Amino acid sequence: MHQAKHPLLIFGWGLHSAHAEDLFIRLAETLKVPYAMPWGAPDLDSPYYIGDLGPHDMDHIDWAIRQADWLLYIGACLGKTISKARGITAVWIVDLDQTELDKFPQFTGIREDAKEFLEYQIGMVEAVYSHDGSFPD
């Protein structure tokens, strides 16, 4: 994750089910990474929000997906979004539903609650930042 030049975060309804919206925004803003969300999802306003995915994908979101070299999906179905990605070197999928993870065995599937995953990742990111950008011992 820390080596990505063009990361993109995408969350789905699983984030809302886990009541982890505030943690997601905190991660996006700490990392300064853009994010998109599914069409119809409640807005999570932040300077890093680039728009909604859905039946009427916007050109700038399609562009961001095509440029991304690392995608993190949290509680989101990949659907047609992943087919737009071009230079992807890594895709992480965080979902409690093993069936969703099994659909894409070529990617890194993480079967975990969105809130627990985000709490852990934020802790790691903050630890790195507090050690001048290097991982603590």
Side-chain angles (χ1 to χ4, degrees), residues 33-65:
V33 173
Y35 68 88
M37 57 186 160
W39 177 75
D43 288 341
L44 296 181
D45 195 26
S46 163
Y48 298 98
Y49 166 65
I50 61 171
D52 295 344
L53 303 166
H56 307 296
D57 289 348
M58 296 187 259
D59 289 341
H60 68 281
I61 296 174
D62 288 346
W63 180 86
I65 293 168

Side-chain angles (χ1 to χ4, degrees), residues 16-94:
H16 299 297
S17 298
H19 306 288
E21 296 92 337
D22 56 333
L23 292 170
F24 182 84
I25 294 297
R26 186 170 157 196
L27 181 66
E29 291 182 350
T30 300
L31 293 173
K32 298 177 174 54
V33 173
Y35 68 88
M37 57 186 160
W39 177 75
D43 288 341
L44 296 181
D45 195 26
S46 163
Y48 298 98
Y49 166 65
I50 61 171
D52 295 344
L53 303 166
H56 307 296
D57 289 348
M58 296 187 259
D59 289 341
H60 68 281
I61 296 174
D62 288 346
W63 180 86
I65 293 168
R66 285 191 305 272
Q67 299 304 310
D69 59 352
W70 181 76
L71 290 172
L72 171 61
Y73 288 83
I74 300 178
C77 297
L78 272 66
K80 67 178 184 170
T81 306
I82 195 64
S83 66
K84 297 176 185 179
R86 304 252 193 270
I88 296 291
T89 57
V91 176
W92 291 8
I93 308 166
V94 180

